[in-house]
Amino acid sequence: MENKQLSFYEEARGNGISRKEFLKFCTIMAAWLGLETSGVGQIVKALETKPRLPVIWFHFQECTCCSESFIRASHPIVASIVLDKISLDYQETLMAASGVQAEDAYKTVMAKFPGEYIVMVEGSIPTENEAYCCIGGRSALQILKEAVANSKAVVAWGNCASAGCVQAASPNPTGAKPVHKVISGKPVINVQGCPPIADVMAGVVVHLLTFDRIPQLDGLGRPKAFYSRRVHDTCYRRANFDAGLFVEAFDDEGAKRGYCLYKMGCKGPVTYNSCGIIKWNDGISYPIQSGHPCIGCAEEGFWDNGPFYKHLPQIAGFGIETTADKIGVAVGLSALAGVTGHAVLTNIRKHREIANAPEAGSEIENPKEK
Amino acid sequence: MRIRSVPMREVQVWELPVRIYHWVNALCILSLVITGYTIGSPPAFMKGTEAYFNYWFGTVRFIHFVTAFVFFFNFLVRIYWGFAGNEFSRWYNFIPLKRCQWKEILTVIKVDVLQITNRQIDSIGHNSLASLIYFITFLIFLLQCLTGFGMYSAMSKAFLPHLFAWVVPFLGGDIHVRQLHHILMWGFILFSIIHIYLVFYHDYIERRGVTSSMIGGWKYIEEDVILRHENRTEECPKN
Ligand code: HEM
Ligand code: HEM
Ligand code: SF4
Ligand code: SF4
């Protein structure tokens, strides 16, 4: 590892990126982070002067889709600078080093930058039996706890690290838990999504670098800049939702007209993400734009709240395709049946009572005369 | 002609606020169940038109939200009346903390549900079992408001819904909140079926004029029951 810490800007220039491209990148980031115009200057200054962030990037129980997403960030600066430099420190998938050298790299970061380095985590942590995920003979939990102890902050990439994702789906055989459930004492930024949008990931890194503090988070630990609105709130099909125009089948006329995908199971109304604005793959499209309902990938438990193509989730423990409405109708009908049975019984009783009542007539007392 | 002679007196059980609360509440629930179910399963009655000309689903949601506000404040009024109203509407009726309330619950189950004995139920207001069920319903009201306003906080800048913003992270996300909100709707439907039946049942069996009591406020109560109520020995807030 070199002694002088180069800044992002210096690294970028060294990689053949022009000043114009660099400024463009800073402007985009400022826009996505929701900063004022002056924010651009702050980002430029930070990237020009501050040494890069020391980062340790772990892969636990995951599929690497977060890294895959990250290296496809729409602006090459993110990939070539942020990721190249990160890999110098420690990033299991992308680093050149392996074995002892790899271990050394990450120990060096911890020793050289205590209280400064950021721990970034991809994947969930098994707790049922820690042996389900081991690196270099140590369990994910041990490694994470040790690394987090002296870190500045923790970034949980994706649904796995933020909420457990598919590994934590019922019956969760490994006892997979997200980062914030197994560590304490450090701020955790949950960058949700399966995977998170590359530009959102870049935005979080730039924010950490520029402002030296963690971004504003929502109640579930997600950066507000990117997760304060539902996919539904920024969806271009929203007008069709309000108009009550719904796709009923993937090949019907509504689908061709671009109606709302709500009845095809769209989870946009319950999913907080930036898909409708930043979009994917260089801003080309996002699932709904391509005619597919949102599956809620940025939300806890989205695997267990399927099926993906039905609005109402099935209820666990009641068999496939059993929704609240089916159970409700069954219970409601039983109640009606019970009530009817009760009414019949009551009438039998009442008739007996009436039959036994003395025939009254002249002997009636008039209370007023009493 | 069959004539019964039972010495009865009229007792005012439900004061005006309780009656207004009750019917506003019933209307709100009717509206919320219909609009809520429609939000969950919108019918497909339009095709081949463009969004520009229509807004019916938005209107259904709007009605749901407006009614929700009425429902919420009406509920608050009832809670207030649980501390300010007469002895039959006070909060302590609804929470069975006393032995005699539990005793009455058992009796009511024997008499009204299982129909194995024919004893007289002494309570003048709600009987203890009914009160307990109302208490559970009030909890469901509360949960429905929590989940509803929790979801609503995401689309509102207003102060009130934001008091409920914590519900979403507490339950782990909107998916869970919405699911719970939807399931609870069936709780309302179930309650209404049984409640309306039981009102008719009690009117039929006890002949105290229960149905109209929620309209006029008065019930006919047997004189001996009133006497026992006034000279009750066990210090029990009910009966
Ligand atoms: C009797 C009480 C209520 C019933 C039966 C009821 C029922 C429902 C149902 C069935 C849904 C559809 C859920 C789905 O999509 O599957 C719904 C949606 C909703 N309800 Fe309620 N609800 C009630 C009270 C409230 C209250 C007090 C609020 C507070 C504001 C509220 C706010 C909402 C919201 C925000 C939605 C989501 C609508 C959307 O985003 O499109 N509800 N309700
Ligand atoms: C959606 C429909 C309804 C709901 C949710 C509902 C709810 C309630 C609640 C919560 C109470 C307790 C009142 C209190 O003291 O705070 C109550 C009592 C009562 N309700 Fe309803 N109600 C509904 C419909 C009806 C209907 C249709 C009737 C009559 C035909 C009715 C008649 C009564 C009567 C008579 C009482 C007093 C019961 C007693 O004296 O023990 N309700 N209802
Ligand atoms: S397609 Fe999905 S996100 Fe878009 S308006 Fe319809 S329900 Fe909302
Ligand atoms: S549209 Fe929904 S499921 Fe698709 S990527 Fe965005 S948040 Fe995930």
Side-chain angles (χ1 to χ4, degrees):
Chain A
M1 197 174 283
E2 67 267 58
N3 274 336
K4 181 180 180 306
Q5 288 281 311
L6 293 180
S7 71
F8 269 88
Y9 178 60
E10 285 162 329
E11 295 277 0
R13 292 308 298 268
N15 284 3
I17 284 166
S18 71
R19 177 146 183 95
K20 186 174 168 189
E21 273 179 292
F22 169 75
L23 291 177
K24 216 165 108 185
F25 169 75
C26 294
T27 315
I28 294 172
M29 282 298 140
W32 282 341
L33 286 168
L35 304 177
E36 313 174 339
T37 330
S38 63
V40 183
Q42 274 176 289
I43 293 179
V44 172
K45 186 149 175 267
L47 296 191
E48 274 176 350
T49 54
K50 292 194 187 171
R52 65 187 177 79
L53 276 177
V55 167
I56 300 176
W57 182 311
F58 291 118
H59 293 255
F60 297 135
Q61 297 191 124
E62 47 92 14
C63 71
T64 316
C65 80
C66 301
S67 297
E68 289 287 347
S69 174
F70 201 23
I71 58 179
R72 279 161 185 71
S74 59
H75 206 281
I77 277 193
V78 184
S80 67
I81 306 304
V82 183
L83 211 59
D84 283 358
K85 300 324 286 178
I86 284 169
S87 71
L88 266 183
D89 292 341
Y90 186 86
Q91 212 270 17
E92 281 137 7
T93 310
L94 297 164
M95 68 199 300
S98 64
V100 178
Q101 284 98 329
E103 298 287 298
D104 280 350
Y106 119 83
K107 296 221 170 80
T108 313
V109 178
M110 292 204 295
K112 257 176 92 178
F113 306 104
E116 279 177 54
Y117 64 91
I118 309 277
V119 173
M120 296 184 174
V121 183
E122 231 180 304
S124 60
I125 296 97
T127 56
E128 167 72 26
N129 181 341
E130 289 181 36
Y132 281 125
C133 181
C134 289
I135 301 159
R138 293 193 308 146
S139 78
L141 194 60
Q142 285 174 317
I143 297 172
L144 181 65
K145 283 197 161 145
E146 180 193 81
V148 164
N150 278 324
S151 68
K152 180 171 181 177
V154 184
V155 176
W157 291 134
N159 204 312
C160 301
S162 305
C165 205
V166 71
Q167 308 87 278
S170 172
N172 192 355
T174 64
K177 289 212 168 129
V179 172
H180 67 90
K181 291 229 172 108
V182 296
I183 63 157
S184 54
K186 297 286 172 186
V188 179
I189 307 169
N190 290 329
V191 186
Q192 264 283 23
C194 185
I197 303 172
D199 309 271
V200 168
M201 300 172 81
V204 170
V205 173
V206 168
H207 187 287
L208 284 170
L209 189 81
T210 308
F211 300 108
D212 260 334
R213 60 185 141 79
I214 60 162
Q216 222 190 345
L217 304 178
D218 73 1
L220 289 162
R222 301 175 292 198
K224 275 192 174 166
F226 302 106
Y227 297 93
S228 63
R229 277 182 294 173
R230 300 170 303 166
V231 171
H232 187 57
D233 295 325
T234 52
C235 178
Y236 77 106
R237 297 193 188 215
R238 179 60 185 265
N240 292 287
F241 174 85
D242 289 330
L245 297 172
F246 302 106
V247 176
E248 303 287 333
F250 281 120
D251 54 356
D252 71 357
E253 196 201 332
K256 293 190 188 90
R257 282 177 178 262
Y259 286 177
C260 165
L261 294 160
Y262 185 69
K263 289 178 84 174
M264 301 310 295
C266 185
K267 305 288 185 295
V270 289
T271 305
Y272 293 76
N273 207 348
S274 301
C275 300
I277 305 166
I278 296 178
K279 303 192 179 174
W280 289 83
N281 302 323
D282 238 343
I284 288 176
S285 180
Y286 73 114
I288 293 166
Q289 194 173 341
S290 312
H292 192 281
C294 168
I295 61 172
C297 79
E299 292 291 324
E300 177 193 297
F302 77 103
W303 293 102
D304 287 336
N305 283 278
F308 289 154
Y309 302 119
K310 293 263 165 66
H311 169 68
L312 207 57
Q314 70 196 37
I315 294 184
F318 282 93
I320 278 172
E321 303 264 301
T322 311
T323 61
D325 281 356
K326 284 195 187 151
I327 299 171
V329 168
V331 175
L333 287 179
S334 327
L336 276 178
V339 154
T340 314
H342 192 271
V344 170
L345 215 80
T346 306
N347 265 293
I348 296 171
R349 187 173 91 172
K350 174 107 176 178
H351 276 284
R352 226 178 275 146
E353 208 179 292
I354 294 173
N356 292 343
E359 188 66 54
S362 50
E363 75 267 33
I364 183 169
E365 315 166 32
N366 187 339
K368 285 200 185 112
E369 280 171 8
K370 269 214 292 197
Chain B
M1 184 169 80
R2 290 182 199 279
I3 299 167
R4 297 195 326 151
S5 158
V6 185
M8 298 270 219
R9 297 239 178 132
E10 281 193 84
V11 179
Q12 197 205 24
V13 278
W14 314 126
E15 296 146 293
L16 190 59
V18 174
R19 287 177 273 145
I20 295 180
Y21 153 77
H22 180 271
W23 293 111
V24 171
N25 189 44
L27 289 178
C28 283
I29 288 170
L30 186 68
S31 157
L32 286 165
V33 168
I34 293 173
T35 52
Y37 185 81
T38 312
I39 294 169
S41 321
F45 57 71
M46 286 198 311
K47 280 197 187 61
T49 170
E50 290 304 325
Y52 178 80
F53 306 108
N54 305 289
Y55 195 73
W56 77 262
F57 199 60
T59 310
V60 169
R61 291 175 68 242
F62 179 73
I63 296 171
H64 192 81
F65 304 148
V66 171
T67 322
F69 274 91
V70 178
F71 174 77
F72 176 70
F73 284 108
N74 190 48
F75 180 35
L76 290 188
V77 168
R78 182 63 184 88
I79 292 173
Y80 165 73
W81 205 250
F83 295 89
N86 67 12
E87 57 177 308
F88 305 114
S89 51
R90 290 270 169 153
W91 65 272
Y92 47 67
N93 289 296
F94 295 93
I95 310 168
L97 297 172
K98 301 253 152 98
R99 244 173 65 84
C100 53
Q101 283 170 300
W102 283 106
K103 250 167 55 193
E104 197 184 71
I105 289 179
L106 277 181
T107 320
V108 174
I109 292 178
K110 279 193 214 141
V111 174
D112 290 330
V113 184
L114 304 173
Q115 310 207 357
I116 46 179
T117 61
N118 223 347
R119 277 186 47 198
Q120 168 124 336
I121 308 285
D122 267 1
S123 31
I124 294 173
H126 304 306
N127 69 50
S128 296
L129 181 61
S131 302
L132 178 61
I133 300 295
Y134 293 140
F135 181 58
I136 296 169
T137 339
F138 290 153
L139 292 182
I140 296 182
F141 290 2
L142 181 69
L143 274 179
Q144 197 70 333
C145 289
L146 289 178
T147 51
F149 281 111
M151 281 190 279
Y152 193 70
S153 66
M155 32 183 146
S156 168
K157 280 267 161 275
F159 173 72
L160 179 73
H162 274 271
L163 295 178
F164 297 85
W166 58 271
V167 176
V168 175
F170 181 76
L171 287 174
D174 269 27
I175 296 186
H176 310 289
V177 179
R178 203 165 167 128
Q179 165 92 322
L180 182 57
H181 193 76
H182 195 115
I183 292 171
L184 287 175
M185 172 186 73
W186 287 102
F188 283 83
I189 295 174
L190 200 66
F191 168 80
S192 301
I193 294 173
I194 297 173
H195 171 71
I196 295 174
Y197 168 72
L198 282 182
V199 171
F200 291 172
Y201 164 84
H202 280 288
D203 208 329
Y204 187 45
I205 287 296
E206 292 174 347
R207 293 181 298 273
R208 286 170 167 174
V210 154
T211 314
S212 64
S213 79
M214 221 9 114
I215 300 168
W218 297 74
K219 266 189 196 175
Y220 293 101
I221 302 292
E222 298 78 1
E223 279 180 352
D224 57 323
V225 172
I226 296 178
L227 221 69
R228 271 204 295 276
H229 179 75
E230 276 163 358
N231 304 324
R232 69 206 133 135
T233 45
E234 196 179 353
E235 194 38 67
C236 194
K238 270 202 72 80
N239 310 334

